[in-house]
Amino acid sequence: MKRRDSFKKLTKEDVDFFRSVVSSSGVIEDADDLEHFNHDWMRKYRGQSKLVLKPSTTEQVSKILAYCNKERLAVVPQGGNTGLVGGSVPVFDEIIVSMGNMNSVRSFDEVSGALVCDAGSILEVLDKYLEERGYIMPLDLGAKGSCHIGGNVSTNAGGLRLLRYGSLHGTVLGLEVVLPDGTILDNLSTLRKDNTGFDLKQLFIGSEGTLGIVTGVSILAPKRSKAINVALLGLDTFDQVQAAFKRSKEELSEILSAFEFWDHGAIGLVKEHLAVGANDPLQSTYPFYVLIETSGSNKEHDDEKLGAYLEGLMTEGVVQDGVVAQDTTQIQKLWAIREGIPEACSKAGAIFKYDISMPVPVLYEAVQDMRSHLESLNAIGKGKPFTSVIGYGHVGDGNLHLNVAAKDYSKEATAMIEPYVFEWTAKHSGSISAEHGLGISKNNHLHYSKSQPMIELMKQFKNMIDPQGIMNPYKYLPNK
Amino acid sequence: MKRRDSFKKLTKEDVDFFRSVVSSSGVIEDADDLEHFNHDWMRKYRGQSKLVLKPSTTEQVSKILAYCNKERLAVVPQGGNTGLVGGSVPVFDEIIVSMGNMNSVRSFDEVSGALVCDAGSILEVLDKYLEERGYIMPLDLGAKGSCHIGGNVSTNAGGLRLLRYGSLHGTVLGLEVVLPDGTILDNLSTLRKDNTGFDLKQLFIGSEGTLGIVTGVSILAPKRSKAINVALLGLDTFDQVQAAFKRSKEELSEILSAFEFWDHGAIGLVKEHLAVGANDPLQSTYPFYVLIETSGSNKEHDDEKLGAYLEGLMTEGVVQDGVVAQDTTQIQKLWAIREGIPEACSKAGAIFKYDISMPVPVLYEAVQDMRSHLESLNAIGKGKPFTSVIGYGHVGDGNLHLNVAAKDYSKEATAMIEPYVFEWTAKHSGSISAEHGLGISKNNHLHYSKSQPMIELMKQFKNMIDPQGIMNPYKYLPNK
């Protein structure tokens, strides 16, 4: 890929202007300090930005973008930089606008649960704030300790609570967004219902910083459940996983808050690489594991429902083994296994990560077919390019995280799994990016999940909002 | 308002073309037959269309729009024509595209609950279809026997189940839309998660036919609850209504599926005008009524939760009286009171209907302030322009239906309540249209709820998708 000629290169005058807008501690030029912002946490994507700006107010963001737009300086917005597709790091010398200094709660309504906060607020900090007030953030993900709510919104993050509370398209009540020309779009509504015109905020949810910078978020927090139960199950086949899922929808219904699964390979990596591997309470190992969480308002009722559900599964042989957490510590220990999987994978060598959604019945076929495919190429096993194919994810959302462990990231290795994995997904009417987004990693593969008229309309829309193309360039939409 | 000169007037050649596209029974030109399509059910809005087209396929819709776009013929899409803001009837001689002939279920996935159907499917028919399969439509409204799912989506209908299942922005999985130039945008995804590009379908949800015609809908249906309970409460003050609501979020939590209220005036009209007025089981009348519904998977648990909740309210004097429905018939009888209110209002004379949302604590002040305002104008009471001001609605969503009964619809009467009601709403950071939409009734009042940059961006967006402006003209966006 080539740097776009139409973008200006940063000058001393530009930096002087930015110094006049943000405080001096909010302008980072030192090479060592820049390093941290120029690559992602997996060290898979790396840019060469010469400047990081850390605005403290929406007005500062507005001045920065208006200037960049006028001067044709390219910009990449950065939140917690926990993404998996290179969306928040520069490709060349884009200016990084890092949102970490905008991290205040602006208001919280204890009757409705509407929380309004700065985009740079850390997800876990917000969740703790709400916990003290009897509420909960409607989303949760492994990166909660670092990721920003503005990044969550900009990437339409899914995560562990989507099954219960739905997507951000439903829970975000309003946004404050700075457009590329500096216009502040103030739509920080706290209303649950508002049918006055096109719901423009929806387009910024999941737009990965290509249309402007989200500076404020209004989101509907549900009441925190008084009772939480977590069970870990061991199962022999993915058919059994599906059977357990179907019955959970029937019997746990309104108290079901998570239905996660992982396979034998995933638990193996956790046990090999992480201390939390010792948390597994089951007596033996199984081909499949399911973590079920329930959340409700009456512990006794929930215990009874979960007990009856698990007894039914055991009696009918759907499940081989199972353990119910007895207290908060045990609940955290079981969740730590699930949340440790991505980290464990990253220690297993170079990891090709795919995040695909599809109808539940074919979910695990994706893993099996990928394994067979690599076997047919004689490319998996000891001394070969790939060491293992593992699968885990959100059964309730039809969302599989397919990880392929390789000796290293090479063009040859990539060519063995791509476009195979995308073609497989398209053949099963799936999405090539269920929740991770496109960034620089999937943008040129968009056609596997979206038709040409859809892609054309997206381009039209991007050009309308960002005619100079300064916002997060080279990403999201196909470069071709 | 003036007919827009740029629109062509319909010719015999145009009608001949349309006859070549749709079957002859799908072309309506007879004046008597047209009548029904030219006005809304309240007979408040009336157009003079000379042509109704009833396409049977998406391809026919595409051919119709492509032709109209080329020839600059204005179009109004029409579903069940149950709207309240004149959005689905022509203003002048726009061609009506009526969707009633496209009414098939295309597919249903019994594992995930994803339903794909034609836009002209009637909401109640879909709900019955799902009932047989153990699922439920995530929305319900009084007009369910006539309204189309395509109309529900195009108006972002709220209704009675939003508290539990959220808005259509969260439950709609995909749409098939025909753009003004005839392009078919196929985005009928059945995936719960899909982060591949801008979520374009969101802009069509609630766009009231101004961007094209929705022809197909994919929606996520939840499992139908095994146990339903409904209770009717009588209360003395709106503070008590709020207290009962707050406690329901605590104690009924995950099984709460509706929290509706109405006032003394509303029940009075139902008793005066409708047979279902006799359904009221309470011994006396009260200033406020609350209907609570719970839906869950275990009848015994739900009974226990609801019983404890009601006992608490009674003991602490939050509620003066209450009845719990004992069977399905009684449940339907209680709901019939709530669902009868709009009809009862329409029999009370000319009704000015407002549908506003705001923070729950000020919800009923809107009714009281409007009453005081009309009293201060000496305009309410016997022999005066207005007879009563009543309020009802969805407490859980902060959504009030404010109805002002008048002797007739006159400019003078309108001037006494507008812009007063809009200014009141803006002052309380509310929405002037919570769920009814804008149509021709609220389009020029949009600035009370949206900022100028938001309105400008909406116009830009409309111009991008519909440069000739043929889709549902004169409505939705301000004419000025």
Side-chain angles (χ1 to χ4, degrees):
Chain A
M1 207 186 316
K2 241 182 101 276
R3 184 183 181 284
R4 210 172 288 160
D5 290 336
S6 58
F7 293 139
K8 178 179 147 181
K9 290 199 175 165
L10 190 72
T11 65
K12 194 187 159 296
E13 288 69 35
D14 299 329
V15 179
D16 287 344
F17 171 81
F18 294 126
R19 277 192 200 284
S20 78
V21 174
V22 298
S23 68
S24 60
S25 68
V27 179
I28 301 172
E29 288 188 285
D30 178 83
D32 286 349
D33 296 341
L34 287 171
E35 175 65 12
H36 166 70
F37 298 90
N38 260 318
H39 65 78
D40 69 315
W41 66 275
M42 298 182 298
R43 299 191 166 262
K44 198 168 170 188
Y45 306 97
R46 176 178 298 273
Q48 298 101 40
S49 180
K50 299 279 181 286
L51 182 68
V52 172
L53 299 174
K54 299 185 79 175
S56 311
T57 66
T58 303
E59 288 65 33
Q60 290 179 5
V61 176
S62 165
K63 284 179 185 162
I64 292 169
L65 290 195
Y67 183 87
C68 290
N69 196 49
K70 187 166 63 75
E71 297 290 324
R72 303 208 180 185
L73 287 159
V75 173
V76 51
Q78 191 174 92
N81 199 9
T82 63
L84 293 160
V85 292
S88 58
V89 289
V91 179
F92 296 101
D93 58 346
E94 299 92 286
I95 294 170
I96 297 170
V97 177
S98 171
M99 297 300 290
N101 281 352
M102 290 181 66
N103 54 18
S104 301
V105 168
R106 299 194 193 174
S107 71
F108 179 63
D109 180 335
E110 303 228 7
V111 179
S112 69
L115 173 76
V116 182
C117 61
D118 288 345
S121 307
I122 289 173
L123 179 59
E124 194 171 44
V125 174
L126 295 175
D127 198 52
K128 286 245 182 330
Y129 175 94
L130 290 176
E131 186 175 10
E132 288 162 17
R133 289 154 181 85
Y135 283 84
I136 188 172
M137 285 297 281
L139 78 161
D140 184 28
L141 50 153
K144 59 181 164 246
S146 316
C147 65
H148 294 182
I149 187 68
N152 297 149
V153 167
S154 299
T155 57
N156 189 27
L160 305 164
R161 292 178 189 155
L162 189 134
L163 177 68
R164 175 68 165 268
Y165 301 117
S167 90
L168 290 169
H169 287 289
T171 52
V172 170
L173 297 174
L175 292 179
E176 180 188 79
V177 181
V178 179
L179 300 183
D181 67 1
T183 301
I184 298 172
L185 217 55
D186 177 7
N187 187 208
L188 270 182
S189 167
T190 56
L191 302 169
R192 183 134 191 205
K193 282 182 175 175
D194 177 20
N195 275 352
T196 53
F198 303 125
D199 195 355
L200 295 173
K201 71 169 182 286
Q202 298 290 352
L203 275 169
F204 297 93
I205 300 175
S207 64
E208 301 185 23
T210 60
L211 300 176
I213 298 185
V214 172
T215 51
V217 174
S218 170
I219 191 165
L220 188 68
K223 282 297 263 187
R224 208 167 191 97
S225 297
K226 289 172 220 155
I228 305 278
N229 282 320
V230 170
L232 181 73
L233 314 177
L235 309 93
D236 275 342
T237 67
F238 192 74
D239 277 348
Q240 292 178 340
V241 173
Q242 279 192 76
F245 173 57
K246 276 191 232 173
R247 286 176 70 139
S248 74
K249 281 180 65 172
E250 294 275 352
E251 297 180 32
L252 302 176
S253 187
E254 72 277 4
I255 62 166
L256 184 65
S257 54
F259 196 103
E260 300 285 309
F261 97 102
W262 55 88
D263 65 8
H264 189 260
I267 193 83
L269 290 179
V270 172
K271 289 186 177 175
E272 189 179 337
H273 296 289
L274 303 181
V276 299
N279 291 1
D280 177 5
L282 301 185
Q283 299 298 320
S284 35
T285 60
Y286 297 93
F288 293 96
Y289 294 79
V290 162
L291 183 152
I292 290 182
E293 186 191 77
T294 67
S295 322
S297 56
N298 185 311
K299 173 82 175 142
E300 214 173 288
H301 291 171
D302 293 4
D303 286 352
E304 200 181 313
K305 285 189 185 97
L306 183 63
Y309 165 73
L310 293 175
E311 202 184 308
L313 293 184
M314 294 294 244
T315 311
E316 293 181 33
V318 176
V319 160
Q320 274 57 58
D321 197 0
V323 166
V324 178
Q326 296 304 311
D327 55 36
T328 316
T329 311
Q330 286 187 13
I331 286 177
Q332 284 167 347
K333 279 188 164 183
L334 293 184
W335 266 118
I337 302 173
R338 166 64 185 84
E339 294 187 304
I341 299 173
E343 193 192 342
C345 288
S346 73
K347 299 199 170 178
I351 286 279
F352 289 85
K353 293 173 100 68
Y354 300 94
D355 163 47
I356 55 185
S357 62
M358 68 210 90
V360 178
V362 299
L363 199 75
Y364 202 71
E365 283 176 29
V367 179
Q368 289 162 329
D369 288 357
M370 175 58 81
R371 228 175 254 146
S372 308
H373 168 72
L374 293 176
E375 278 164 7
S376 76
L377 297 175
N378 195 23
I380 186 164
K382 249 198 162 166
K384 302 200 173 136
F386 298 98
T387 54
S388 63
V389 182
I390 70 153
Y392 64 98
H394 319 286
V395 178
D397 312 323
N399 183 185
L400 173 76
H401 297 306
L402 172 67
N403 285 15
V404 188
K407 276 205 292 213
D408 45 46
Y409 296 120
S410 69
K411 272 194 184 167
E412 295 70 26
T414 307
M416 285 191 234
I417 27 184
E418 299 176 19
Y420 175 82
V421 61
F422 302 129
E423 285 168 356
W424 189 98
T425 307
K427 199 175 82 187
H428 292 87
S429 307
S431 167
I432 61 155
S433 187
E435 59 178 13
H436 291 173
L438 298 166
I440 188 91
S441 152
K442 307 271 159 50
N443 58 327
N444 288 323
H445 306 302
L446 188 50
H447 64 278
Y448 288 107
S449 288
K450 290 287 154 70
S451 66
Q452 206 49 42
M454 291 284 289
I455 296 173
E456 284 311 314
L457 190 55
M458 288 182 200
K459 287 182 173 172
Q460 248 185 300
F461 190 74
K462 162 79 175 172
N463 289 338
M464 183 185 91
I465 305 266
D466 182 20
Q468 314 281 9
I470 61 162
M471 292 309 306
N472 218 0
Y474 316 110
K475 300 171 188 162
Y476 199 64
L477 295 174
N479 286 319
K480 293 165 272 193
Chain B
M1 205 187 315
K2 241 181 101 277
R3 183 183 181 283
R4 209 173 288 160
D5 289 336
S6 58
F7 293 139
K8 178 180 148 181
K9 290 200 174 165
L10 190 72
T11 64
K12 195 187 158 299
E13 288 68 37
D14 298 329
V15 179
D16 287 344
F17 171 80
F18 293 126
R19 278 193 199 285
S20 79
V21 173
V22 298
S23 69
S24 59
S25 67
V27 178
I28 300 172
E29 287 189 284
D30 178 83
D32 286 349
D33 296 341
L34 287 171
E35 176 63 13
H36 166 70
F37 297 90
N38 261 318
H39 66 78
D40 70 314
W41 66 276
M42 299 183 296
R43 298 193 166 262
K44 198 169 171 187
Y45 306 95
R46 174 179 298 275
Q48 298 100 39
S49 179
K50 300 279 180 289
L51 182 68
V52 171
L53 298 174
K54 299 185 78 174
S56 312
T57 65
T58 303
E59 287 65 33
Q60 290 178 4
V61 176
S62 165
K63 283 179 186 162
I64 291 168
L65 289 195
Y67 183 86
C68 290
N69 195 49
K70 186 166 62 78
E71 297 291 324
R72 302 207 182 188
L73 287 159
V75 173
V76 51
Q78 191 174 91
N81 199 9
T82 64
L84 292 160
V85 293
S88 59
V89 289
V91 178
F92 295 102
D93 58 345
E94 299 93 284
I95 294 170
I96 297 168
V97 177
S98 171
M99 298 300 290
N101 281 351
M102 289 181 66
N103 54 18
S104 301
V105 169
R106 299 195 194 173
S107 70
F108 179 64
D109 180 334
E110 305 228 6
V111 179
S112 69
L115 172 76
V116 182
C117 63
D118 289 344
S121 307
I122 288 173
L123 179 58
E124 192 171 45
V125 173
L126 294 175
D127 198 52
K128 287 242 182 326
Y129 175 93
L130 290 176
E131 186 175 9
E132 289 162 17
R133 287 155 182 86
Y135 283 84
I136 189 172
M137 284 297 280
L139 78 161
D140 185 27
L141 50 154
K144 60 180 163 246
S146 315
C147 66
H148 294 180
I149 187 68
N152 298 148
V153 167
S154 298
T155 58
N156 189 29
L160 305 164
R161 290 178 190 157
L162 188 133
L163 177 70
R164 177 66 166 267
Y165 301 118
S167 89
L168 290 169
H169 287 289
T171 52
V172 169
L173 298 174
L175 292 179
E176 179 188 78
V177 181
V178 179
L179 299 182
D181 68 358
T183 301
I184 297 171
L185 217 55
D186 177 7
N187 187 210
L188 270 181
S189 167
T190 56
L191 302 169
R192 183 136 189 203
K193 282 182 176 175
D194 177 20
N195 276 352
T196 52
F198 303 125
D199 195 354
L200 295 174
K201 70 169 182 286
Q202 299 289 353
L203 275 169
F204 296 93
I205 299 174
S207 65
E208 301 186 25
T210 61
L211 299 176
I213 298 184
V214 172
T215 50
V217 174
S218 169
I219 191 165
L220 189 67
K223 282 297 264 186
R224 208 168 191 97
S225 296
K226 288 174 222 154
I228 305 279
N229 281 320
V230 170
L232 181 72
L233 312 177
L235 309 94
D236 274 342
T237 67
F238 191 72
D239 278 348
Q240 292 178 340
V241 173
Q242 279 192 73
F245 172 58
K246 276 192 230 171
R247 286 176 70 138
S248 75
K249 280 180 67 171
E250 294 276 351
E251 298 180 31
L252 301 176
S253 188
E254 73 276 5
I255 62 165
L256 184 65
S257 54
F259 195 101
E260 300 286 309
F261 97 103
W262 55 90
D263 66 7
H264 189 259
I267 193 84
L269 290 179
V270 172
K271 287 186 178 176
E272 189 181 337
H273 296 290
L274 301 182
V276 300
N279 290 2
D280 178 5
L282 302 185
Q283 298 298 320
S284 34
T285 60
Y286 296 93
F288 293 96
Y289 294 79
V290 161
L291 183 151
I292 290 183
E293 187 191 77
T294 67
S295 322
S297 57
N298 185 311
K299 173 83 174 139
E300 214 174 289
H301 292 171
D302 293 5
D303 287 352
E304 201 180 312
K305 286 190 185 96
L306 183 62
Y309 165 73
L310 293 176
E311 203 184 306
L313 293 184
M314 294 294 241
T315 309
E316 295 181 32
V318 175
V319 161
Q320 276 55 58
D321 197 1
V323 166
V324 178
Q326 296 303 312
D327 56 36
T328 317
T329 311
Q330 286 187 15
I331 287 177
Q332 283 167 348
K333 279 188 165 184
L334 293 183
W335 266 118
I337 302 174
R338 166 65 184 84
E339 294 188 305
I341 299 172
E343 194 192 342
C345 288
S346 73
K347 299 200 170 177
I351 286 279
F352 289 86
K353 292 172 102 68
Y354 300 94
D355 163 49
I356 56 185
S357 62
M358 70 208 89
V360 178
V362 299
L363 198 75
Y364 202 70
E365 283 175 30
V367 179
Q368 289 162 330
D369 289 356
M370 175 58 83
R371 230 177 253 145
S372 308
H373 168 71
L374 293 176
E375 278 163 8
S376 75
L377 297 175
N378 194 24
I380 186 164
K382 248 197 164 168
K384 306 210 171 123
F386 297 99
T387 54
S388 63
V389 182
I390 71 155
Y392 63 97
H394 318 287
V395 178
D397 311 325
N399 184 185
L400 173 75
H401 297 307
L402 171 67
N403 284 17
V404 188
K407 277 205 291 215
D408 45 45
Y409 295 119
S410 70
K411 271 194 182 165
E412 294 70 25
T414 307
M416 285 191 235
I417 28 182
E418 298 177 17
Y420 176 82
V421 60
F422 301 130
E423 285 167 357
W424 189 99
T425 307
K427 200 175 80 186
H428 292 88
S429 307
S431 167
I432 61 155
S433 188
E435 59 177 12
H436 291 173
L438 298 167
I440 188 92
S441 152
K442 308 271 160 47
N443 58 328
N444 289 324
H445 307 301
L446 187 51
H447 63 280
Y448 287 107
S449 289
K450 290 287 154 71
S451 67
Q452 207 48 44
M454 290 283 289
I455 295 174
E456 284 310 314
L457 191 55
M458 287 184 201
K459 286 182 174 172
Q460 247 185 298
F461 190 71
K462 161 78 177 174
N463 289 339
M464 182 185 93
I465 304 266
D466 182 21
Q468 314 281 6
I470 61 161
M471 292 308 308
N472 218 1
Y474 316 108
K475 300 172 189 163
Y476 199 64
L477 294 174
N479 285 318
K480 294 166 274 192

